[in-house]
Amino acid sequence: MTFKPLLQHFKEMKHYFIVVVLVFGFSFYLGWANSDQFSHFLEGQLQGLKSLSQSLSSKDHPQFWFFFIIFLNNAIKSITIIFLGLLLGVPPLFMLVANGMILGYVLSLQTHESTMAIVLKGILPHGIIEIPVILIACAYGLKLGMLVWKSGAQLFIPVKARTARAELVKTLHLTKPLLVSIVALLLLAAIIESTLTYWLVHL
């Protein structure tokens, strides 16, 4: 298993990367600017995180538990969302919208000063790694979904002209180095979040 083909494939993925960034950014804006309209949905999404955070804080060695749960949660979700993209690309799109809106909503509840503090101390240290990794996972999920759509559409053209199946197989092979990269980067992000971010937030 080598990583060079994956890095080369990133060039072919540039349009998907642009799309996921735009969807995430627009969803962030929706959560920020329309917090009242979506508050019921977003509060429901956050409630589970609040309960989990309180439970972990009460345990012995809370930093270890934060690291373990954060890493496990992000790794499982990121890996799963790639292959759930085979369901016509819908789950990755939903994950992008939900996460963007939640982040925008949380920041909309703060004053300007506390927003900056949250971004600099609570999000930036680990988010600079974690967010791009999740966006890449969603981009590959969307790619697989589009190839499924394309494969279905190409059933009505001559066999020699069908390219989607071969491209789908190629992309699935590239998920092996992609998964290793995602897990390694999320491990690093979880270490930062459970140490540096945890320390900064609890100052």
Side-chain angles (χ1 to χ4, degrees):
M1 181 179 63
T2 60
F3 294 90
K4 187 176 180 180
L6 176 64
L7 295 175
Q8 292 173 338
H9 193 248
F10 277 5
K11 296 177 183 178
E12 300 176 29
M13 288 289 294
K14 62 182 179 181
H15 296 104
Y16 287 92
F17 294 152
I18 292 170
V19 167
V20 295
V21 170
L22 290 176
V23 171
F24 185 79
F26 180 69
S27 303
F28 176 89
Y29 172 76
L30 284 179
W32 173 281
N34 300 279
S35 55
D36 292 337
Q37 185 176 350
F38 299 107
S39 60
H40 181 70
F41 165 74
L42 296 171
E43 279 292 341
Q45 298 293 311
L46 287 171
Q47 193 56 48
L49 294 175
K50 292 177 182 176
S51 301
L52 178 61
S53 178
Q54 291 170 355
S55 174
L56 295 178
S57 296
S58 63
K59 290 181 176 291
D60 294 332
H61 312 294
Q63 284 181 271
F64 167 77
W65 285 106
F66 271 107
F67 160 75
F68 179 73
I69 297 298
I70 289 167
F71 170 66
L72 195 64
N73 177 66
N74 287 338
I76 290 174
K77 282 186 176 180
S78 297
I79 292 170
T80 303
I81 209 65
I82 293 173
F83 296 106
L84 285 180
L86 291 167
L87 300 175
L88 306 179
V90 175
L93 196 59
F94 177 80
M95 183 176 180
L96 276 173
V97 172
N99 280 277
M101 289 180 66
I102 289 171
L103 183 58
Y105 177 69
V106 168
L107 294 182
S108 75
L109 300 178
Q110 318 302 320
T111 63
H112 177 70
E113 291 78 11
S114 60
T115 298
M116 288 304 297
I118 287 174
V119 170
L120 293 175
K121 297 195 299 182
I123 298 175
L124 189 60
H126 65 276
I128 200 169
I129 299 173
E130 185 179 299
I131 293 175
V133 169
I134 292 173
L135 293 181
I136 289 171
C138 288
Y140 270 88
L142 287 176
K143 172 73 171 180
L144 292 176
M146 289 305 297
L147 288 174
V148 171
W149 278 106
K150 193 175 178 181
S151 297
Q154 288 185 350
L155 291 174
F156 303 98
I157 65 174
V159 175
K160 291 183 178 180
R162 298 175 188 176
T163 59
R165 183 179 176 84
E167 192 177 354
L168 179 60
V169 171
K170 172 189 172 183
T171 306
L172 286 171
H173 279 303
L174 288 172
T175 59
K176 295 177 182 179
L178 178 64
L179 296 183
V180 173
S181 302
I182 284 175
V183 170
L185 289 169
L186 289 177
L187 179 63
L188 177 59
I191 291 171
I192 294 172
E193 188 170 358
S194 59
T195 54
L196 179 59
T197 303
Y198 184 89
W199 176 72
L200 289 172
V201 169
H202 288 80
L203 276 178

